[in-house]
Each structure stands twice: as C-alpha cells, then as structure tokens.
C-alpha cells in the first residue's frame, strides 16, 4: 500500500495530466504540418505532452516526497461568489445594470460571515447608484441601466 | 547627452500637458485608493481600473495606467505599515519593521520614509529608463524571429528562477499558460483550437478575464475562507516628519535599495516583489546590529520600499524596448497597450516618440505627485481601511464584473471570469502560483508565431535557433539559469530569500 505523502502534489499533478491529455486529444483532428510550415496542431500537441510529463513528475513527488496536503474546500463562498457573478452576467443585458448590480451585491454578501441585513440594503442601493453614476453618466460606457 | 535632454524635454512637453497631468493625477489617486485595500495587488488593481481608460487617447491612457501601477504599489505599503497586512505581496517585508514602527507611535515617520525612498527610487528609475532605452532599442532592431523566440525562452526561464515557490510547479504553470494562450483561431491556418464551439472564444481568451479571475476573484475567495482579522491603527498619526536621525539612518538604505531594485527590475521575472525581498535581506546583512530588524528598524522600511519602487520602474525597460513583459503587471500593460492599438516593441520609440517619452516623463511626475498628495491624504486612506470586508468584497466584485463586461460588451466574458475565479481557487488549493501562468499566457501566441516564422525562413531547419549568435547567446543564458536553479546550493539560497525573514 503506497502512502500519499503530499496530496496537494498528487492532485496537482493529476490535474496537469488531465489537462494535458484533453489538450492533446482536442487538436488531433487538425493538421500537424511539418517543421517548415508548422500546422495548427503542432504547438498545442507538444505543449500538452509536456504538461502530461510535468503532471507525472509532480504527482510522483506527491507519492514520494513529504509535502503539504489538501485542505478542505470552502464550498459555500465558492458557490455563492461564483453564483453572484453568473447572476450579474445573466441579468445585465436582460434586466439592466441596476438589477444586475443589486443581485451581485446581495448574493455575494451572503458569503460574508458577519452580514447585517439593514446595512446590506442601504449599501447595495448606494453602491448601485454610485456604479450607474460612475460608469454610465461619467465614463459613458455603453451599459443598459434599466430593463428594455 | 543632447539626445537625452532632447528626449526628456519632448517627454515632459507631453506629460505636462494639462490633460495628461490630470490623468496622471487621477491614476495615481485611484491606484492608491484601490492599492490600499488589503488583498488587492497591482495586477488586480490595474485589471479593475482598465475600463476607465478605454475612451481616452492612447498617451493619456498609458500615463494613467502607469500612475495606477505605482499608486497601487505605494498604497500597498501604507496598508502594510498601518495594519500589518500587506496590500500586496511586494510589501510583505514592509510589514515587518513598518508595523513595529507604527506600534511605537512612529507611523508618520515610517510612512514618510517609505514615500521619500519611493520618490528617490522613482527618480533614479526614470533616469535609468531614459538612458538605457535607446541603446536597447537599437539592439532590439537587429532581432529576427529566432532571436525573439530565444529571448522569450530566456524571459520565461528567468521568471521561474526568480519567482518564489516550487520551480517544478512554476514551469508547469508556464506551459499551462502557453496552452491557454493558444485558445482561439490559429492565425496561420484559420483553424479553431480549443474553442468548444463558442464563437466568443474565436479571438482567444481575454487576458483581463484570466487576470481578474485568478488574481481578483480567487483572492476574495481565499480571504473569505481565512476569515479576515484587521487591527487598524486607532490612534491619530502624529509627527509625519522623520527626525534628522531617521533620515541619516535611512539614506544609505534608500541608496542601496534603489540600486538593487533598479537592477533586479530589469531581469525577467524580477520587478517589485523580488526587489523588496532582496533589499530587506541586504539591509539585514549590512546592518551593524541585525537584531534591531523586526523591531522597528527604519532601514527595514527604507530599503525595501525604495527597491520595490525602483524595480517597478525599471521593469518597464524590457517592455518598452523589446516588447516583452517580464512580470505579470507588465503582461497586463502589454494587453492594455494592445487595446489602444499599440504593439509594444522597439518600433514604439522610433515611431511614436511622444508616447514613449511622454510616458517616461509622466513616471517621474507621478512619483512626485504620490509624495505630495499622499502624505496629506493618509487620514483618508486610514478611514478607508476601517470599511469592513463584508462591504469591500462585493464592491470589488461589482467593479470587476462591470470592467470585464465593458471590455467587449459581452456577458460571455463575465462568465469566463467567474470560471477563472474557480480555476484560481483550485490553483491556490493545489499550491500553484498564478503569476507564471499569466506570463505564459501572454507569450504563448507570440512564441508560436516567432518560432513558425523562424522555421519558415530557415526552410524548416531548427538549427537556425542556435546558428545565429544572438539567439544562441540567449538560449545559453536560459540554459545556464536553469542549471543554476537546479543546483542544490542555489535552491537552498533561493528558498531562504523568499522565506519571510
């Protein structure tokens, strides 16, 4: 039974191997070309294989050399923050900047351990107004403020 | 010499135009404002403020971006001194003695010395750029495709050697970056690579999306996870002016820091971070009584602060003369220049001298402004630091999201940034540094292009890379560096240099 000495390296290496294989496989339909006229598949294939090589070495180190392990993932903030950005993207062109900004601020604040609802309401509105003034009125970026 | 004065005169003519002066001021102010916020380094600051410069003239935009850069750099040290939290990685060492000085009631002196040291270093850095740029540009004009390819290899190797952390993982990140850079349409054949059928990916992944994701969003995630504790100096800051004794002690350190920083800034992978760590180590080594360090030694603030500013300045040299970024901030500057239709490289100096020299002159002006505006404004920065993180991070996220969207006016970029935020978080968890990735990402497509061109010209003979003397020299230097870093003694020294002293 092999003991994992550094799960961080083992998984890091595994990620590189996976990306490398994916990168190699995805360009196999494209022409390789020859040295004098390198095809579109040549550089990506080469880099992908090098990545696999690094992945193998790094994950092997994870098995052989003592090193840091993986710490737990903070799934809640990860999901909330990612979700708030996606919500912003989804709302911006459909419902306008005001709705999108409010959504991003309110959703992302859910990730804060010390949130206060009253403060959040004032802050979200204030920040949204400030953004409309800065980006739309002052900088003149082509942003849609209200729903169509 | 007359050239030198003529060039600088031209530069100041451009930089002193009221409109450019105004944007330099706004840039320095905004950069400091964002840079003061803990956990947001110069890369994230520049990426976040990039959209503000879209509608400006290229000269004004670059002047403003440069202002943002050293403003952010400077703001980071304020945070380090006042709340013992580095605003960015290059001010980690400033925390050590700066915060101790603040606790002893000498925050004013520490801040003033940091400002004076930075200004002095900024002056020297500006002169260094003005002196070194023309000869380097001449050299660069002899470069062919093979030389450029080899130069980039050298740059990437250097970036790994001089960056902190595991060499193996840093190199892997470069290759990952190179691969990411190849996403999109292949310029030679028109073939789509790694676009997964998304038409938005046909032009490749935007570097701002990657930078904002792995530096901005991932940083917020990691801060939320750690749970942030801050201890803002509550007492009033008095006695802004350092005493004569302070100045006497600090001045040699400023000189040494400036020299070391200017040198390290030019090297690939160098720049502010390495400069400040090396300067702190140097100060500790030359001090008569090294035990004072970590307990509020003024040299421990003066040296690193001068060095990181000098390094920040001189890292513009490879970018402006060769068109090659040597660190993540410069990679962002290249992206910013390209948005304004400027291809960085030796031709900028000859074809757009007003832009080139104007930017250099504005660097000096920007440094001057930082000293003049920031010392009186320290109270404002401190009150900004009292804003709780639960309000800070949603605001940062919102500015990032709007900025990313307005780059191309497509929500696809917003989603892409969210994706790279998750990727960046994964990197943190797996112990990978994101900076080499960004460098590889910017250089990937360029390297492929130069390699192809070199091979096409040599009719497919790879010997061309080593048969041309300049190219061979660069490759040998890269190989030498690589061998050096693998050597066990150097590896140990390197680990020491990046350990918090």
């Amino acid at each position: 039974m092999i003991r994992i000495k550094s799960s961080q390296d083992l998984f890091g290496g595994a990620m590189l191997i996976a990306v490398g294989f994916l990168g190699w496989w995805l360009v196999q339909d494209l022409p390789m070309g020859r040295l004098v006229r390198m095809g579109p598949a040549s550089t990506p294939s080469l880099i992908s294989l090098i990545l696999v090589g690094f992945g193998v070495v790094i994950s092997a180190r994870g098995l052989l050399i003592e090193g840091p392990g993986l710490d737990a993932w903070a799934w809640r903030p990860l999901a909330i923050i990612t979700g708030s950005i996606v919500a912003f993207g989804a709302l911006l062109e459909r419902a306008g900047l005001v709705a999108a900004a409010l959504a991003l601020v309110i959703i992302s604040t859910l990730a804060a351990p010390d949130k206060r609802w009253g403060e959040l309401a004032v802050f979200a509105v204030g920040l949204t107004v400030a953004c409309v003034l800065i980006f739309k009125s002052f900088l003149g970026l082509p942003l849609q403020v209200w729903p169509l | 010499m007359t050239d030198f004065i003529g060039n600088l005169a031209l530069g100041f003519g451009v930089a002193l135009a009221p409109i450019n002066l105004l944007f330099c001021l706004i840039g320095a102010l905004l950069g400091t404002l964002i840079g003061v916020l803990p956990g947001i380094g110069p890369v994230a600051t520049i990426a976040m403020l990039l959209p503000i410069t879209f509608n400006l003239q290229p000269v004004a935009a670059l002047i403003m971006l440069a202002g943002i850069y050293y403003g952010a750099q400077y703001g980071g040290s304020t945070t380090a001194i006042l709340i013992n939290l580095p605003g960015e990685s290059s001010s980690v060492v400033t925390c050590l003695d700066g915060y101790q000085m603040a606790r002893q009631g000498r925050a004013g002196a520490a801040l003033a010395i940091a400002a004076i040291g930075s200004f002095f270093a900024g002056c020297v850095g500006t002169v260094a750029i003005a002196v070194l740029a023309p000869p380097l540009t001449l050299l660069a004009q002899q470069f062919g495709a093979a030389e450029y390819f080899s130069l980039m290899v050298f740059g990437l190797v250097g970036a790994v050697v001089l960056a902190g952390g595991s060499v193996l993982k840093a190199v892997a990140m470069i290759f990952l970056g190179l691969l990411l850079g190849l996403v999109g349409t292949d310029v030679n054949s028109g073939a789509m690579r790694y676009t997964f059928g998304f038409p938005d990916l046909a032009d490749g992944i935007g570097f701002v999306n990657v930078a904002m994701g792995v530096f901005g969003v991932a940083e917020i995630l990691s801060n939320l996870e750690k749970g942030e504790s801050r201890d803002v100096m509550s007492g009033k800051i008095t006695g802004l002016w350092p005493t004569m004794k302070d100045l006497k002690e600090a001045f040699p350190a400023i000189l040494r820091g400036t020299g070391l920083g200017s040198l390290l800034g030019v090297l690939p992978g160098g720049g502010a971070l390495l400069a400040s760590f090396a300067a702190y180590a140097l100060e500790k080594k030359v001090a008569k009584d090294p035990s004072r360090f970590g307990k509020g030694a003024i040299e421990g603030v003066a040296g690193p602060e001068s060095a990181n500013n000098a390094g920040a300045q001189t890292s513009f040299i490879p970018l402006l003369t060769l068109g090659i970024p040597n660190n993540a901030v410069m990679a962002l500057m290249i992206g910013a220049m390209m948005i304004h239709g400027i291809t960085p490289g030796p031709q900028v100096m000859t074809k757009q001298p007003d832009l080139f020299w104007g930017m250099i002159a504005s660097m000096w002006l920007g440094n001057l402004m930082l000293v003049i505006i920031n010392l009186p404004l320290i109270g404002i920065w401190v009150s900004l630091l009292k804003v709780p993180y639960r309000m800070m991070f949603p605001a940062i996220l919102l500015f990032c999201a709007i900025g990313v969207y307005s780059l191309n006016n497509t929500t696809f970029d917003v989603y892409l940034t969210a994706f790279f935020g998750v990727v960046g978080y994964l990197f943190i968890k797996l112990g990978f540094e994101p900076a080499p990735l960004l460098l590889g990402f910017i250089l990937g497509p360029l390297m492929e292009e130069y390699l192809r061109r070199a091979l096409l010209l040599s009719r497919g003979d790879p010997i061309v890379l080593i048969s041309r003397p300049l190219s061979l020299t660069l490759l040998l230097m890269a190989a030498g560096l690589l061998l050096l870093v693998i050597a066990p003694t150097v590896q140990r020294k390197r680990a020491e240099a990046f350990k918090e002293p």
Side-chain angles (χ1 to χ4, degrees), chain B residues 31 48 54-56 139 144 180 191 207-208 219 221 236 257 267 327-328 343 345 370 395 450 484-485 495:
Chain B
M48 213 165 111
F54 286 169
N55 292 337
L56 302 179
L139 180 72
L180 265 183
F207 77 104
V208 177
E219 203 63 53
L221 286 168
K236 216 172 148 38
L267 297 181
N327 59 34
T343 317
L370 280 179
Y450 282 122
L484 215 77
V485 75

Side-chain angles (χ1 to χ4, degrees), chain B residues 43-89:
Chain B
V43 177
T45 308
I46 296 174
M48 213 165 111
L49 295 175
L50 201 55
I52 303 181
T53 66
F54 286 169
N55 292 337
L56 302 179
Q57 293 292 313
V59 182
L62 287 179
I63 285 178
M64 186 163 167
L65 281 170
I68 290 171
Y69 176 34
Y70 28 79
Q73 194 78 36
Y74 186 84
S77 60
T78 308
T79 326
I81 291 171
L82 292 179
I83 62 169
N84 198 21
L85 208 90
E88 78 221 59
S89 45

Side-chain angles (χ1 to χ4, degrees), chain A residues 79-98:
Chain A
I80 292 174
I81 297 293
T82 311
S84 73
I85 304 174
V86 171
F88 176 88
L91 286 169
L92 188 61
E93 284 178 352
R94 296 189 182 93
L97 177 63
V98 171

Side-chain angles (χ1 to χ4, degrees), chain B residues 185-240:
Chain B
T185 316
D186 171 38
V187 274
N188 280 29
S189 63
M192 292 288 179
R193 297 189 290 197
Y194 307 126
T195 53
F196 299 97
F198 289 115
D200 293 278
L201 283 178
D203 287 333
I205 300 172
F207 77 104
V208 177
N209 301 329
V210 182
M212 293 271 221
V214 297
F215 283 99
V217 180
E219 203 63 53
I220 288 177
L221 286 168
S222 129
N223 284 345
L224 281 173
E225 183 177 2
K226 276 186 292 202
E228 207 220 8
S229 61
R230 271 182 288 160
D231 168 26
V232 180
M233 284 270 307
S234 42
K236 216 172 148 38
I237 298 163
T238 48
L240 202 55

Side-chain angles (χ1 to χ4, degrees), chain B residues 424-445:
Chain B
Y425 184 67
L426 179 73
F427 288 161
I428 295 176
K429 286 289 168 194
L430 294 176
F432 286 103
E433 278 278 338
L437 175 104
L438 204 62
L439 219 49
F441 177 74
I442 292 279
L443 291 181

Side-chain angles (χ1 to χ4, degrees), chain B residues 119-145:
Chain B
F119 176 64
F120 180 80
C123 296
V124 174
T126 307
V127 172
I129 298 179
V131 172
L132 285 176
L136 270 176
T137 305
L138 278 180
L139 180 72
Q141 279 163 346
Q142 299 171 13
F143 276 25

Side-chain angles (χ1 to χ4, degrees), chain B residues 78-103:
Chain B
T78 308
T79 326
I81 291 171
L82 292 179
I83 62 169
N84 198 21
L85 208 90
E88 78 221 59
S89 45
S90 70
S91 24
V92 167
V93 289
T94 308
C95 284
L96 301 170
D97 281 289
Y99 183 63
Q100 290 305 322
M101 283 182 74
R103 285 187 56 184

